[in-house]
């Protein structure tokens, strides 16, 4: 069986990145030359996923516009005869199709009901097939050819799993920002492993390990029943983590695939990790990366001399 559907939730409010996200989605913030969500879509298409469902919300129209054809822009670029730019702005993914649906705010509520509720909106789209979930605010960058999704789908299918989760090792005090898993006793943590629990955003002293959920999942249709039975949890929201926990407690197989050393995860959801992502991608830019690295070196020396901010522009 081939898994070819992916659900990309992009409905979060981006509160931790205000004011930058006051009138634009956090998924449209640039990291180097491209908005975050473009990396996620490219990552999925490159790994063979063909049907992409973006779960949007209020204020997210620019995401749909970004992946649409823009005849006025094309006409303008045609007159400049810049073929490279023309190719850059055509973002309709080749051989794949993007669908959109909107996460409704529940009647009487003031904000969306959380990630678990967002995924619930994909039920008709996936129609009982196993599917991937890729959070739209996280880039997984692979040095070399990406194969995380195929490792995950293989693990999922080989073990008849109901859920398979990408994880990576975080610092002790970072557990409070992520879902954290409890590996089965004696598991080899360099290989895919089964888990016996998962907790959303535990404090370091309550965390069952330092393996955090890395924003990529594979699910079977069982997740929808689990989501329907899940009550609001952390932050008053319906948490995907809690639905997975329900499946684990029912004794169903839930597996994890650890990221490899050549795979880096960039979470755009908070200012520090967003800045880090931007710096990494900007430094690696083929056209201006080298100049930028020189600028950064000089700036760091200034900081070390206690002179601080600003070397000015070029
Ligand atoms: C969500 C999930 C969390 C996961 C994280 C990965 O949290 O609830 O379990 O570890 O994404 O980025 P959020 O970042 O939406 O608060």
């Amino acid at each position: 069986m081939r898994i070819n559907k992916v659900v990309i939730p992009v409905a979060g409010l981006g509160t931790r990145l205000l004011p930058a996200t006051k009138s634009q989605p956090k998924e449209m913030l640039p990291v180097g030359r491209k908005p975050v969500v473009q990396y996620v879509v490219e990552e999925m298409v490159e790994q063979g996923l063909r049907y992409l469902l973006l779960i949007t919300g209020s204020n997210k129209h620019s995401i749909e516009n970004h992946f649409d054809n823009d005849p006025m822009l094309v006409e303008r670029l045609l007159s400049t005869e810049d073929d490279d730019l023309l190719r850059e702005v055509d973002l309709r993914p080749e051989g794949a199709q993007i669908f959109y649906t909107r996460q409704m705010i529940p009647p009487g509520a003031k904000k969306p009901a959380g990630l678990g509720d967002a995924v619930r909106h994909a039920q008709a789209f996936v129609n009982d097939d196993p599917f991937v979930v890729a959070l739209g605010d996280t880039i997984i960058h692979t040095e070399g050819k990406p194969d995380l999704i195929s490792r995950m789908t293989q693990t999922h299918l080989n073990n008849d799993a109901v859920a398979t989760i990408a994880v990576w090792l975080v610092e002790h005090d970072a557990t409070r920002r992520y879902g954290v898993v409890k590996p089965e006793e004696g598991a080899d943590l360099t290989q895919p492993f089964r888990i016996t629990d998962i907790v959303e955003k535990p404090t370091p002293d309550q965390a069952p390990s330092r393996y955090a959920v890395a924003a990529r999942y594979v699910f079977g249709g069982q997740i929808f029943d689990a989501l329907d039975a899940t009550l609001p949890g952390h932050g008053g929201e319906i948490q995907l983590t809690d639905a997975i926990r329900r499946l684990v407690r029912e004794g169903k197989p839930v597996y994890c695939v650890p990221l490899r050393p050549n795979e880096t995860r960039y979470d755009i959801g908070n200012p520090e990790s967003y800045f880090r992502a931007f710096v990494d991608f900007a430094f690696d830019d083929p056209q201006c990366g080298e100049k930028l690295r020189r600028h950064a070196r000089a700036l760091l020396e200034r900081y070390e001399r206690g002179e601080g901010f600003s070397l000015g522009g070029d």
Side-chain angles (χ1 to χ4, degrees), residues 16 115 135 137-138 178-179 200-201 213 215 217 239 241 265:
R16 282 168 290 194
L115 178 60
L135 304 191
D137 64 355
T138 298
Y178 302 107
E200 181 67 5
K201 304 195 170 82
V213 173
Y217 313 77
Q239 296 292 347
T241 300
R265 172 192 186 283

Side-chain angles (χ1 to χ4, degrees), residues 150-309:
S150 75
R151 294 197 324 270
M152 292 177 71
T153 54
Q154 257 168 35
T155 301
H156 190 81
L157 299 174
N158 291 349
N159 294 289
D160 267 332
V162 292
T164 301
I165 310 163
V167 291
W168 93 118
L169 203 57
V170 297
E171 298 290 334
H172 189 59
D173 62 355
T175 58
R176 59 177 92 240
R177 293 210 297 271
Y178 302 107
V180 178
V181 302
K182 180 173 185 183
E184 194 174 51
E185 246 182 69
D188 172 1
L189 302 176
T190 62
Q191 299 298 321
F193 56 85
R194 190 168 172 169
I195 60 167
T196 55
D197 202 5
I198 180 168
V199 190
E200 181 67 5
K201 304 195 170 82
T203 54
D205 56 314
Q206 280 172 350
S209 78
R210 290 198 292 124
Y211 280 90
V213 173
R216 301 289 180 268
Y217 313 77
V218 180
F219 291 114
Q222 303 88 338
I223 192 67
F224 295 113
D225 289 338
L227 281 167
D228 286 345
T230 298
L231 299 173
H234 189 91
E237 297 183 348
I238 297 183
Q239 296 292 347
L240 188 54
T241 300
D242 291 344
I244 301 171
R245 184 177 219 198
R246 174 174 282 275
L247 294 171
V248 174
R249 294 202 163 161
E250 286 169 2
K252 309 245 168 70
V254 175
Y255 276 76
C256 288
V257 172
L259 296 192
R260 289 186 171 154
N262 66 333
E263 291 165 336
T264 312
R265 172 192 186 283
Y266 293 101
D267 170 14
I268 313 303
N270 67 75
E272 188 193 327
S273 57
Y274 171 54
F275 294 161
R276 276 175 194 246
F278 197 99
V279 169
D280 278 21
F281 280 81
F283 277 12
D284 197 44
D285 187 89
Q287 276 162 44
C288 34
E290 197 187 328
K291 272 195 186 160
L292 218 50
R293 295 194 295 269
R294 244 183 285 139
H295 173 81
R297 227 173 277 131
L299 192 58
L300 281 177
E301 282 163 16
R302 241 182 106 86
Y303 268 98
E304 271 152 28
R305 291 196 301 270
E307 291 166 24
F309 183 62

